[in-house]
Amino acid sequence: MAGAWTGADARAGKPLARIKVIDLTLARAGPTAVRHLADWGADVIRIEPPAADAGSDPTGATRHGSDFQNLHRNKRAITLNLKSEEGLALFMKLAAEADVIVENMRSSVKARLGVDYESVRKVNPGIVYGSISGFGQDGPYATRGGVDQIAQGMGGLMSITGLPGQGPVRVGIPIADLCAGGYLAMGIMMALFDREATGQGRWVTTSLLEAMVAMLDFQGSRWTMDGTVPQQAGNDHPTGIPTGVFPTSDGNINIAASGQRLWERFAHAAGLEALIADPRFVDGKSRSANRVGLNALIAEKTRLQTSAHWVDALMEVGVPCGPINSIDQTFADPQVQHLGLSKSVTHPEIGAINIVASPLQMTGTDREIASAAPDRGQHTDDVLGALGLGADEIAGLRARNVI
């Protein structure tokens, strides 16, 4: 299905409007990286195989479903058979004019197809080529396929998620995919910035495993510096005590009262002043050693009042706290609505839809969704026409299953 890109005007004035991106990604981590670029104005051309050669989406998403629409908004889409000589030649024409290529193929696959970094930079030395893999471009695991949950396990996250003694627990979002995509987008931006000074492109890589280990953050450095192997702490913060989930008369809330000053403020506000001088809780080390008993005493008090009561009372004295929302409650929250974290866009077939907005805000521009996720090959004729191909040439390519 051909059609002009409805988001062209919306790109104008956005920070990446002058950047052209070729998107070869599948699954989630790669498309997430590209989405960051597309949301801020990059002209993204997503390449997919012709329908006859297309497999199912690795995420299990249907094209008009919420996952696909959220992941691939603000992009154009063409079909191109990279396994054919003509398809590869067309890809190289596109690559010669591009600023960025993003892919998440295995090393052997991109080299076999001839779309790897070394091949592309022969036609475009300024290309910024971004790659995401499961475990890295080389090394003992380089040939393994990687998916989010595998990286969560290998990267240590599942060992510190969940209740003590529960056994490993995955995080409820594809956090390795999302973090790897975010890191790659940041790396691509650094390489583009460097290119302004050098004129040369770079190959920027990350992996699900690298992203997951980096995201361990202080939990990782507890091992690398202190030799401590962090364990599951459930809803309690592993080092800042008391911080965790506490019952109320109508549900549960999070309270973060770690540090001496916040602890004392909380104790006064909760009517637990006597605990301040209690030897079991007199300082952070004592509170950590007696966490279970302290949490039980706090729970006895918090369950006597509603969640709203405690949020108001603790906010008044500057102790961080908040409700524990279901997803529908999150999007109904007045602050979430004020921040505009759900954006509407119109899809030509399924109508108006709401999808999750970029988390970034920037003066002088907005984060409105420029266009819904495209249908397969929706912009093939437009993109190839811009390369100088005529209607008859395009029809011939389609007949030969090149596009």
Side-chain angles (χ1 to χ4, degrees):
M1 181 178 72
W5 189 34
T6 57
D9 292 339
R11 287 181 52 242
K14 287 188 178 289
L16 300 182
R18 60 193 174 92
I19 300 300
K20 180 173 285 188
V21 179
I22 307 301
D23 177 8
L24 293 174
T25 65
L26 295 170
R28 189 177 307 279
T32 296
V34 177
R35 181 177 62 189
H36 285 299
L37 307 177
D39 279 351
W40 293 99
D43 179 11
V44 173
I45 300 172
R46 176 172 171 77
I47 295 179
E48 298 174 279
D53 299 321
S56 61
D57 189 283
T59 64
T62 58
R63 199 163 199 105
H64 291 170
S66 58
D67 191 3
F68 193 95
Q69 290 297 312
N70 189 59
L71 192 56
H72 296 291
R73 79 278 188 105
N74 294 333
K75 303 176 184 180
R76 295 195 283 169
I78 71 169
T79 53
L80 194 58
N81 184 356
L82 296 175
K83 297 177 182 178
S84 71
E85 185 175 336
E86 289 178 291
L88 180 60
L90 288 171
F91 169 80
M92 286 302 180
K93 283 188 176 182
L94 289 170
E97 298 180 354
D99 299 287
V100 177
I101 292 173
V102 186
E103 60 82 26
N104 56 350
M105 305 175 189
R106 296 191 192 190
S107 297
S108 59
V109 173
K110 56 180 170 271
R112 184 172 69 248
L113 291 174
V115 299
D116 56 294
Y117 174 62
E118 293 299 332
S119 297
V120 171
R121 74 169 181 164
K122 291 176 182 178
V123 301
N124 185 350
I127 196 72
V128 172
Y129 191 102
S131 297
I132 288 182
S133 61
F135 304 102
Q137 298 297 314
D138 48 33
Y141 301 162
T143 59
R144 293 186 184 182
V147 296
D148 175 86
Q149 187 159 337
I150 305 302
Q152 286 193 37
M154 294 180 67
L157 181 63
M158 291 175 67
S159 74
I160 55 174
T161 303
L163 300 172
Q166 181 180 6
V169 177
R170 70 179 294 275
V171 174
I173 58 172
I175 192 168
D177 284 339
L178 300 179
C179 291
Y183 280 132
L184 186 65
M186 181 169 61
I188 287 168
M189 294 304 302
M190 288 190 288
L192 287 170
F193 191 72
D194 178 72
R195 191 181 68 173
E196 293 184 357
T198 67
Q200 296 298 308
R202 290 182 184 268
W203 186 13
V204 184
T205 73
T206 192
S207 66
L208 305 190
L209 182 61
E210 288 168 286
M212 202 69 275
V213 173
M215 287 298 293
L216 292 177
D217 197 66
F218 79 97
Q219 293 281 55
S221 64
R222 290 176 71 191
W223 163 251
T224 60
M225 288 187 63
D226 304 333
T228 298
V229 180
Q231 303 296 313
Q232 290 170 309
N235 289 318
D236 293 327
H237 191 280
T239 59
I241 299 160
T243 295
V245 174
F246 296 92
T248 66
S249 63
D250 60 353
N252 296 279
I253 58 172
N254 280 312
I255 299 174
S258 61
Q260 195 63 27
R261 183 163 57 179
L262 284 179
W263 158 241
E264 292 182 7
R265 287 181 186 176
F266 168 74
H268 283 292
L272 295 169
E273 299 93 335
L275 298 184
I276 295 174
D278 189 313
R280 295 173 297 170
F281 315 125
V282 71
D283 56 24
K285 185 176 181 180
S286 301
R287 291 190 293 275
S288 179
N290 297 286
R291 176 204 303 263
V292 174
L294 177 58
N295 284 352
L297 291 171
I298 293 173
E300 287 180 10
K301 183 67 68 168
T302 58
R303 65 167 46 98
L304 300 177
Q305 301 287 348
T306 66
S307 296
H309 167 88
W310 288 116
V311 170
D312 290 343
L314 297 181
M315 285 287 98
E316 186 174 346
V317 297
V319 175
C321 63
I324 300 173
N325 292 329
S326 57
I327 302 299
D328 58 325
Q329 292 171 327
T330 294
F331 282 96
D333 184 280
Q335 184 65 22
V336 172
Q337 292 191 346
H338 170 77
L339 292 170
L341 287 166
S342 174
K343 293 294 185 183
S344 178
V345 67
T346 299
H347 188 282
E349 292 190 29
I350 58 180
I353 56 175
N354 292 313
I355 49 183
V356 183
S358 167
L360 301 173
Q361 300 202 50
M362 192 178 302
T363 56
T365 187
D366 60 51
R367 54 181 178 182
E368 297 299 318
I369 306 298
S371 62
D375 285 340
R376 181 181 298 276
Q378 181 174 339
H379 306 100
T380 301
D381 291 16
D382 291 342
V383 171
L384 296 185
L387 286 179
L389 278 70
D392 290 344
E393 290 177 278
I394 293 172
L397 290 169
R398 188 165 281 119
R400 297 189 296 278
N401 199 40
V402 177
I403 59 175

